[in-house]
Amino acid sequence: MKALVLTGLKQLEVQDYDKPEVKPNEVLIHTAWAGICGTDKALYGGLPGSADAVPPIVLGHENSGVVAAVGSEVENFKVGDRVSVDPNIYCHKCQYCRSSRPELCEHLDAVGVTRDGGFEEYFTAPEEVVYHIPDNVSLEAAAVIEPISCAEHGVDLLETHPYQKALIIGDGFEGQLIAQILKSRGVHEVTLAGSNDDKLENNKKHFGFKTINNVKHPEEVKADSYDIVVEAVGLPQTQEQAVEAAARGGQVLMFGVGNPDSTFKVNTYKVFQKQLKIQGTFINPYTFEDSIALLQSGAVDPLPLISHVLDFDHVEDFVSGKLKGVSKAIVKVAGEEA
Ligand SMILES: NC(=O)c1ccc[n+]([C@@H]2O[C@H](COP(=O)([O-])OP(=O)(O)OC[C@H]3O[C@@H](n4cnc5c(N)ncnc54)[C@H](O)[C@@H]3O)[C@@H](O)[C@H]2O)c1
Ligand SMILES: [Zn+2]
Ligand SMILES: [Zn+2]
């Protein structure tokens, strides 16, 4: 079978691999689609994702497919089931796992990061991280449950109310999903501040969000004005802008991942005076079920946000940064026919 292997720093190669064997607790999945994101860019460039990727490794932490075989101990899946995999495998033994904060696990393993993921025709995952997909959700949409579930976890850390006004800074896939999730929670006014007119127009058209081009017209983001501000870029200037834009009593969600060495300035008097909550968020602990429900009900629709469908030969164009203007790229492995 074909596998797209990260063989070293900035080296991706299509190789012929044997189909993996299932261990007793594992499910073998015939890959339909695999999403591709900034984490894959980081891993390709030798930076850590949620954990370190050690080559040779097959990336693909966002994925969907159809069960092709099950191990002897697997109880809840059978051949032919449509599934998606939560990449995070928690140890269930460390102090964080044992105090209901598994996302902070000290021994995190991840499909597509520390073990082979969806950039190959067949991959395996332990039953505990495999999820069933409802009939009315396409395998294409199911391939992006992981990024939806990260957005869902971030929003879970906020207190949401209908009266609130929310600002999302960053029109990447995550910022666009967070906007939809906040709307699904009843937040009455959602503004997306991005840097790409096409993405902003698309969101206005499909989801009715207010939009601001934050690069051309940053003055349209008013200071002290938003009850919820989500920073989904990861740059010091947008992190500072997020704190500035928060209203009194505001909550600031720092969703974007900064460079490991970067810092931003905070006016601590404003944090005091506005009684701000500034919240970090890390990955997606047990938010797959909620994300699947959001897809099933139509409250979140990722399909209008998918701008590029790639094959294995073109994944490098994305991870190397050659491909511009991407809203969301996914890799077609077997597609809906998996
Ligand atoms: N907290 C988590 O668990 C988690 C999970 C996934 C991704 N992330 C992080 O969230 C961030 C967003 O992820 P993504 O997949 O959407 O990435 P992305 O690269 O697709 O999106 C970033 C977006 O920010 C826009 N942008 C750049 N400068 C801007 C500015 N000044 N104002 C407004 N928008 C600007 C870019 O045009 C782009 O659309 C990244 O930093 C990513 O690493 C965090
Ligand atoms: Zn991802
Ligand atoms: Zn743990």
Side-chain angles (χ1 to χ4, degrees):
M1 65 164 197
K2 264 198 203 172
L4 181 65
V5 188
L6 182 71
T7 53
L9 183 64
K10 298 192 178 176
Q11 285 176 336
L12 275 176
E13 263 178 51
V14 179
Q15 293 188 355
D16 201 18
Y17 262 31
D18 289 337
K19 216 194 244 188
E21 306 252 315
V22 279
K23 296 202 177 96
N25 67 334
E26 287 179 350
V27 173
L28 177 73
I29 296 158
H30 184 202
T31 317
W33 306 86
I36 175 166
C37 81
T39 300
D40 299 301
K41 278 188 186 172
L43 299 173
Y44 171 81
L47 296 170
S50 56
D52 287 314
V54 181
I57 187 94
V58 175
L59 304 181
H61 62 279
E62 305 175 6
N63 53 63
S64 66
V66 172
V67 173
V70 294
S72 57
E73 293 168 8
V74 169
E75 291 177 357
N76 294 320
F77 295 90
K78 58 179 190 324
V79 171
D81 286 351
R82 302 159 77 247
V83 296
S84 177
V85 170
D86 180 345
N88 306 301
I89 306 167
Y90 306 116
C91 80
H92 305 296
K93 290 178 184 166
C94 73
Q95 55 167 326
Y96 297 103
C97 283
R98 287 164 62 97
S99 54
S100 298
R101 298 169 296 163
E103 69 276 26
L104 305 176
C105 178
E106 288 172 339
H107 311 285
L108 189 65
D109 253 337
V111 176
V113 181
T114 60
R115 58 181 274 161
D116 290 350
F119 292 173
E120 57 183 344
E121 289 176 282
Y122 292 84
F123 71 103
T124 59
E127 177 183 18
E128 67 165 273
V129 297
V130 182
Y131 287 78
H132 288 283
I133 302 308
D135 289 344
N136 74 336
V137 174
S138 64
L139 288 169
E140 186 178 358
V144 296
I145 293 170
E146 191 272 347
I148 297 171
S149 69
C150 289
E152 175 69 8
H153 174 58
V155 174
D156 277 345
L157 296 171
L158 299 170
E159 201 184 308
T160 54
H161 296 283
Y163 73 79
Q164 290 165 329
K165 289 185 186 176
L167 171 74
I168 295 99
I169 305 174
D171 56 1
F173 192 53
E174 291 290 357
Q176 299 176 80
L177 291 170
I178 290 166
Q180 291 189 40
I181 293 173
L182 284 169
K183 188 178 166 194
S184 81
R185 304 262 175 130
V187 170
H188 89 284
E189 190 184 296
V190 176
T191 302
L192 185 62
S195 65
N196 180 306
D197 286 328
D198 293 338
K199 291 190 210 173
L200 293 172
E201 194 50 44
N202 193 39
N203 278 277
K204 198 191 280 182
K205 188 177 107 192
H206 283 283
F207 308 109
F209 300 136
K210 292 189 164 201
T211 59
I212 293 173
N213 187 317
N214 194 36
V215 174
K216 292 185 193 156
H217 304 289
E219 74 289 349
E220 288 180 19
V221 175
K222 302 285 182 223
D224 309 328
S225 297
Y226 300 90
D227 307 294
I228 290 176
V229 184
V230 180
E231 199 282 348
V233 182
L235 294 174
Q237 63 267 33
T238 41
Q239 290 163 335
E240 285 167 25
Q241 183 189 30
V243 174
E244 188 68 27
R248 278 186 269 171
Q251 304 168 70
V252 181
L253 183 70
M254 291 297 180
F255 189 92
V257 180
N259 179 303
D261 304 324
S262 91
T263 54
F264 69 93
K265 278 194 186 150
V266 187
N267 179 325
T268 53
Y269 181 79
K270 286 277 181 98
V271 175
F272 154 70
Q273 183 212 27
K274 297 199 271 185
Q275 190 169 279
L276 295 185
K277 281 187 189 149
I278 301 176
Q279 171 75 55
T281 174
F282 186 67
I283 64 171
N284 55 317
Y286 299 114
T287 44
F288 252 56
E289 288 290 3
D290 279 341
S291 305
I292 291 166
L294 288 169
L295 289 174
Q296 193 172 12
S297 70
V300 167
D301 184 3
L303 296 180
L305 310 181
I306 295 175
S307 57
H308 291 72
V309 175
L310 307 176
D311 55 23
F312 284 158
D313 293 329
H314 291 89
V315 167
E316 195 150 12
D317 292 344
F318 176 84
V319 290
S320 65
K322 207 171 108 186
L323 213 57
K324 303 283 180 213
V326 177
S327 168
K328 179 64 180 176
I330 60 169
V331 183
K332 184 174 180 183
V333 187
E336 293 303 306
E337 284 75 48

